[in-house]
Amino acid sequence: MMATDPHPDSALYQLAYSAGDALKSRGWYCATAESCTGGGIASAITSIAGSSAWFACGWVTYSNISKEQLLGVSADALEKQGAVSEAVVRQMAEGAQKKSGVDITVAVSGVAGPDGGTAEKPVGMVCIAWTTRTQTESTTFMFDGNRADVRLQTIEAALNGLIRLCCVS
Amino acid sequence: MMATDPHPDSALYQLAYSAGDALKSRGWYCATAESCTGGGIASAITSIAGSSAWFACGWVTYSNISKEQLLGVSADALEKQGAVSEAVVRQMAEGAQKKSGVDITVAVSGVAGPDGGTAEKPVGMVCIAWTTRTQTESTTFMFDGNRADVRLQTIEAALNGLIRLCCVS
């Protein structure tokens, strides 16, 4: 049987396990707000047994209207900056934090491809934001590969950021 | 690179593709409300390029409080029937339909294991509900295997139900 969950020997499983460990050590709960990964970050986190001790909830806001209605992203940011922008993922992360009340959230929006890329925002461009109770950070990545590759690298970067913020903030 | 997205040759990819095809043929948008799969249904649906034409949004309501706060599941149902019950997944599916306004939703809650099983609700027990604009259906499954197996079979059953309802309702 082909499993979508990462195999315990895989790098992704180890990363999801480490993220859970970091959150648990800190006594923190996390939430996710995903566009291009479509639930893949939450799925990776919850592939670890016992993850209800550090994962509360997540949103998959794939359409623009759901980013507005479920997470309170402003129509202005969506129109002027576009769905794939640090302005929008910061609002997604902060909206998820506000609505869930958790300690840390991560939000992603990107161009997974194969279609949808432009000169300014090519396939592989992904914006990620992390919000804790005291700060919001965001970064723009340019990932290589096909749709599955871009989505996987986004999940990995999202988890790495969670681990880092658990350790440094 | 180990991909979480199903390989185009896999049964899951074909199933997600068929679900997209069924929704698109019907002109329907779908939304997801997931507990035990933790975003895996939304992730499978959005692994198909172009899925923004049939997938709107999803919720990962892992904690009981998020089931109440994000989807409007009643505290009464959670307390009396338990999170893993047809009563709760029906409320999750109907709540997701109400909040998103889409044509069809699917909701799942189950005991993925390895812990959390009881005599009455063993590991592998999963409740799934589907809501269209005219009806809600629900079923309880007993799946075999480990945590990843239970989650995968839940994703497959959820997608199969979406396909069926696109065709018959």
Side-chain angles (χ1 to χ4, degrees):
Chain A
M1 184 183 295
M2 183 269 167
T4 49
D5 280 347
H7 191 275
D9 292 341
S10 72
L12 181 60
Y13 183 92
Q14 294 301 324
L15 192 57
Y17 190 92
S18 297
D21 215 37
L23 288 161
K24 204 174 168 185
S25 300
R26 196 72 198 255
W28 278 4
Y29 273 84
C30 76
T32 52
E34 307 182 55
S35 189
C36 64
T37 45
I41 301 168
S43 180
I45 291 171
T46 60
S47 70
I48 308 300
S51 46
S52 59
W54 56 84
F55 179 77
C57 60
W59 288 262
V60 184
T61 51
Y62 215 57
S63 65
N64 278 2
I65 193 76
S66 70
K67 291 177 181 72
E68 287 183 53
Q69 289 181 345
L70 306 186
L71 295 173
V73 174
S74 71
D76 190 65
L78 284 165
E79 194 183 322
K80 291 187 184 151
Q81 317 286 323
V84 180
S85 65
E86 291 191 36
V88 164
V89 290
R90 292 174 81 93
Q91 289 188 20
M92 288 169 66
E94 288 167 2
Q97 203 275 330
K98 195 173 165 186
K99 286 185 186 289
S100 65
V102 298
D103 306 285
I104 186 167
T105 64
V106 59
V108 304
S109 183
V111 188
D115 302 316
T118 62
E120 202 193 343
K121 297 185 178 182
V123 170
M125 177 175 159
V126 177
C127 298
I128 309 185
W130 298 263
T131 291
T132 65
R133 292 187 185 280
T134 54
Q135 63 180 327
T136 298
E137 282 187 15
S138 58
T139 314
T140 298
F141 297 85
M142 293 291 181
F143 295 127
D144 290 325
N146 64 18
R147 182 176 181 85
D149 297 332
V150 170
R151 283 163 45 109
L152 176 59
Q153 289 169 92
T154 304
I155 295 168
E156 291 174 334
L159 294 174
N160 273 316
L162 285 179
I163 293 167
R164 195 176 54 74
L165 279 169
C166 282
C167 298
V168 304
S169 66
Chain B
M1 185 183 294
M2 183 269 167
T4 49
D5 280 346
H7 190 276
D9 292 340
S10 71
L12 181 59
Y13 183 92
Q14 295 301 326
L15 192 57
Y17 190 92
S18 297
D21 215 37
L23 290 160
K24 205 175 167 184
S25 299
R26 196 73 199 254
W28 278 4
Y29 273 83
C30 76
T32 52
E34 307 181 56
S35 190
C36 65
T37 45
I41 301 167
S43 181
I45 291 171
T46 60
S47 71
I48 308 299
S51 48
S52 59
W54 56 84
F55 179 78
C57 60
W59 288 262
V60 184
T61 51
Y62 215 58
S63 64
N64 278 3
I65 191 77
S66 70
K67 291 178 182 70
E68 286 184 54
Q69 291 182 344
L70 306 186
L71 295 173
V73 174
S74 70
D76 190 65
L78 285 164
E79 194 183 322
K80 290 187 185 151
Q81 317 287 323
V84 180
S85 65
E86 290 190 36
V88 164
V89 290
R90 291 175 81 94
Q91 289 189 19
M92 287 170 65
E94 288 167 1
Q97 203 275 330
K98 195 172 166 187
K99 287 185 185 291
S100 65
V102 298
D103 306 284
I104 186 166
T105 63
V106 58
V108 303
S109 183
V111 188
D115 302 317
T118 62
E120 202 193 343
K121 297 185 179 182
V123 170
M125 178 176 157
V126 177
C127 298
I128 309 186
W130 299 264
T131 291
T132 66
R133 293 188 184 279
T134 54
Q135 62 179 327
T136 298
E137 282 187 15
S138 58
T139 314
T140 298
F141 297 85
M142 293 291 181
F143 296 127
D144 288 326
N146 65 19
R147 182 176 180 85
D149 297 332
V150 170
R151 282 162 46 107
L152 175 58
Q153 290 168 94
T154 305
I155 295 168
E156 292 174 334
L159 294 175
N160 274 316
L162 285 178
I163 293 167
R164 195 175 54 74
L165 280 169
C166 282
C167 298
V168 303
S169 68

